[in-house]
Amino acid sequence: MVFDIGYDYQSMPTWYSLLLQLYACLILEDTWHYFLHRALHHKSVYKHVHKVHHNFQAPFGMVAECVHPVETVVLGVGFFIGPLLFCTHLILLWTWVGVRLLEVIDVHSGYNLKWNPLHLLPFYGGAEYHDFHHMNFHGNYAPTFTWWDRICGTHVPYQEHKKNKLANKQN
């Protein structure tokens, strides 16, 4: 057997161990996605591959899955890195699929729902953060967290947009 993954109740990880594994999966997938998503915005690739996804400037939940097949493969690899490294029980696979679907639909929903449990995650970007990416096409490349955009400076256009929006609101 290639993978020795438990599936019975007795071998299920504790809830806090499962949460740590899920968070680690999110971090790995977010890192993979940030750098490859940013690469998909390169002018030599964008018009052939990633533009399919950006045909929607005002995203809704299912836009998350409207992508070119090449993009599905390239970004999809990141989805499997965490489970391949951390999975000791089938429950991680099921919860990872659920969490990742919730996250990707949330950021493409167009609604910044404050009661969304994902907002409990430190540095979670959410729909407002990702909506700017679809509006502007540059910056805010990370799907889940904001730290790679902050570290690499790709959050600056978003910060300027927020400042301008606030200044216009005050006038």
Side-chain angles (χ1 to χ4, degrees):
M1 187 157 143
V2 177
F3 298 105
D4 187 21
I5 298 174
Y7 57 88
D8 60 334
Y9 182 78
Q10 288 76 23
S11 64
M12 193 180 317
T14 60
W15 66 268
Y16 52 87
S17 176
L18 181 63
L19 284 179
L20 282 172
Q21 290 172 331
L22 285 169
Y23 201 68
C25 288
L26 280 168
I27 290 169
L28 288 172
E29 197 282 332
D30 191 67
T31 302
W32 177 273
H33 193 107
Y34 172 83
F35 289 102
L36 290 170
H37 182 200
R38 190 172 174 183
L40 287 172
H41 278 265
H42 188 273
K43 62 184 175 185
S44 65
V45 179
Y46 179 81
K47 64 184 173 184
H48 302 293
V49 178
H50 194 52
K51 187 174 179 165
V52 171
H53 181 67
H54 277 281
N55 282 330
F56 301 93
Q57 287 183 319
F60 54 93
M62 294 313 293
V63 168
E65 303 304 323
C66 294
V67 296
H68 190 281
V70 170
E71 182 173 352
T72 298
V73 172
V74 168
L75 295 180
V77 168
F79 174 86
F80 295 101
I81 295 171
L84 285 171
L85 293 175
F86 303 118
C87 192
T88 58
H89 195 279
L90 196 59
I91 193 74
L92 175 64
L93 294 175
W94 282 110
T95 53
W96 173 235
V97 167
V99 166
R100 188 66 181 112
L101 281 173
L102 175 66
E103 184 275 329
V104 78
I105 291 171
D106 174 58
V107 300
H108 289 92
S109 71
Y111 297 101
N112 198 24
L113 304 173
K114 299 296 181 194
W115 48 266
N116 181 337
L118 291 170
H119 286 281
L120 296 173
L121 296 172
F123 304 102
Y124 182 69
E128 181 183 348
Y129 191 79
H130 194 69
D131 278 358
F132 179 78
H133 174 76
H134 276 266
M135 181 184 81
N136 189 47
F137 302 120
H138 298 288
N140 295 16
Y141 297 110
T144 308
F145 303 111
T146 59
W147 56 59
W148 282 117
D149 285 301
R150 290 178 184 273
I151 290 168
C152 298
T154 52
H155 74 298
V156 173
Y158 176 65
Q159 295 301 319
E160 290 172 356
H161 171 74
K162 281 179 65 174
K163 283 180 193 173
N164 292 339
K165 195 173 175 182
L166 184 63
N168 290 338
K169 198 175 200 179
Q170 291 174 347
N171 292 334

